[in-house]
């Protein structure tokens, strides 16, 4: 069975700091990759996704993620975080079936 | 546009009582439907998914069951709640044929006392 690991459970940054959240998965075949975000009191929503093509994908609110197949990784980055980025972030993997496998999530707190 | 509803938003139930959580989707037909439980630090655990009316697949054996009586309605149930059933329950949908991307409802916070 595939698994997804997010090694950073809690991250605290000051505004304007750069962000990188790690995501590694175990499945060796073709995968589709996602980052979801859950802002306090809001729905879980899609931040960005990778299906094929350019391994550097850009999402909403200035986020981007890079798919590195050789490392089984899909790390999320943002050059300069804002207080409004405080949220929980989830990496998810789909191997072209009907199901997503989620990582354990990373809680990001951005200090103003 | 498509929307997904869950109710109730919060629920406090005693141990041993029954449970019924409802999820409905609007604006799409024959979606795949999913129930997840979200626990702090453990991400989202898939409980059930359905590809059509009356078709339910269970991912984790447990005290819960799911049903899909109508195309866009998905229900999570229990006959007798356990303390360990407390958590945040999320419903999600996906369009048939699209790659992987799921859309989530607002969730139900269940506390079993």
């Amino acid at each position: 069975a595939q698994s997804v690991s997010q090694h950073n459970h809690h991250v605290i940054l000051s505004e304007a700091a750069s962000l990188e959240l790690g995501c590694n998965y175990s499945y060796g075949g073709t995968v589709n990759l996602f980052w979801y975000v859950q802002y306090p009191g809001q729905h879980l929503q899609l931040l960005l996704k990778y299906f094929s093509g350019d391994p550097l994908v850009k999402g909403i609110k200035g986020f981007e993620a890079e798919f590195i197949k050789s490392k089984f990784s899909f790390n999320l980055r943002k050059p300069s975080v804002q207080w409004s980025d405080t949220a929980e972030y989830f990496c998810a993997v789909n191997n072209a079936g009907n199901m997503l496998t989620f990582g354990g999530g990373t809680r990001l707190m951005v200090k103003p | 546009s498509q929307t997904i509803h869950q109710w109730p938003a919060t629920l406090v139930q005693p141990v041993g009582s029954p449970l019924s959580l409802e999820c409905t989707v609007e604006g799409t037909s024959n979606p795949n439907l999913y129930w997840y439980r979200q626990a702090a630090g453990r991400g989202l655990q898939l409980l059930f998914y359905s590809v059509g009316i009356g078709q339910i697949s269970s991912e984790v054996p447990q005290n819960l069951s799911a049903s899909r009586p109508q195309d866009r309605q998905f229900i999570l149930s229990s006959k007798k709640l356990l303390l360990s059933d407390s958590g945040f329950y999320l419903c999600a949908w996906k369009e048939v044929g699209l790659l992987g991307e799921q859309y989530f409802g607002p969730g139900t916070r269940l506390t079993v006392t």
Side-chain angles (χ1 to χ4, degrees):
Chain A
Q2 63 188 15
S3 64
V4 180
S5 298
Q6 292 181 242
H7 305 295
N8 311 104
H9 300 295
H10 292 89
V11 174
I12 301 174
L13 296 173
S14 298
E15 275 195 317
S18 64
L19 170 72
E20 181 160 3
L21 301 182
C23 173
N24 289 91
Y25 61 94
S26 65
Y27 187 71
T30 300
V31 292
N32 303 311
L33 300 155
F34 307 83
W35 275 97
Y36 282 84
V37 60
Q38 190 172 33
Y39 297 104
Q42 296 190 27
H43 296 207
L44 197 67
Q45 57 185 283
L46 184 68
L47 198 56
L48 50 78
K49 59 189 177 185
Y50 172 80
F51 291 156
S52 63
D54 188 345
L56 183 63
V57 293
K58 296 189 184 298
I60 59 172
K61 303 185 181 184
F63 286 90
E64 65 179 30
E66 184 174 13
F67 170 49
I68 303 179
K69 189 174 181 179
S70 61
K71 295 185 177 180
F72 298 90
S73 70
F74 190 55
N75 292 356
L76 181 70
R77 300 194 294 247
K78 186 171 184 178
S80 176
V81 294
Q82 302 172 324
W83 175 79
S84 59
D85 293 323
T86 294
E88 189 161 16
Y89 294 81
F90 295 93
C91 181
V93 175
N94 163 265
N95 62 337
N98 285 316
M99 293 180 288
L100 289 176
T101 301
F102 282 84
T106 298
R107 288 186 181 270
L108 171 66
M109 179 182 293
V110 180
K111 298 184 294 183
Chain B
S1 64
Q2 300 89 357
T3 55
I4 178 169
H5 305 278
Q6 286 186 247
W7 64 90
T10 60
L11 189 61
V12 180
Q13 292 282 95
V15 168
S17 64
L19 172 74
S20 181
L21 303 182
E22 190 164 344
C23 170
T24 58
V25 181
E26 297 175 357
T28 187
S29 295
N30 195 32
N32 290 344
L33 295 171
Y34 306 83
W35 277 112
Y36 290 89
R37 178 164 52 205
Q38 183 179 4
R42 296 174 61 184
L44 277 73
Q45 179 187 34
L46 179 64
L47 302 176
F48 301 94
Y49 73 94
S50 171
V51 298
I53 295 174
Q55 301 179 62
I56 308 295
S57 295
S58 173
E59 290 300 301
V60 182
Q62 59 214 319
N63 185 42
L64 302 170
S65 62
S67 61
R68 185 170 177 175
Q70 300 180 43
D71 181 45
R72 289 168 288 175
Q73 183 185 32
F74 205 25
I75 297 172
L76 184 69
S77 304
S78 174
K79 291 182 180 178
K80 288 186 178 182
L81 283 168
L82 305 172
L83 284 175
S84 58
D85 291 324
S86 293
F88 191 54
Y89 290 84
L90 289 168
C91 181
W93 72 273
K94 180 179 93 65
E95 275 201 44
V96 173
L98 287 189
L99 295 176
E101 185 173 338
Q102 295 178 16
Y103 301 91
F104 287 82
T108 295
R109 175 74 60 190
L110 172 66
T111 303
V112 182
T113 61

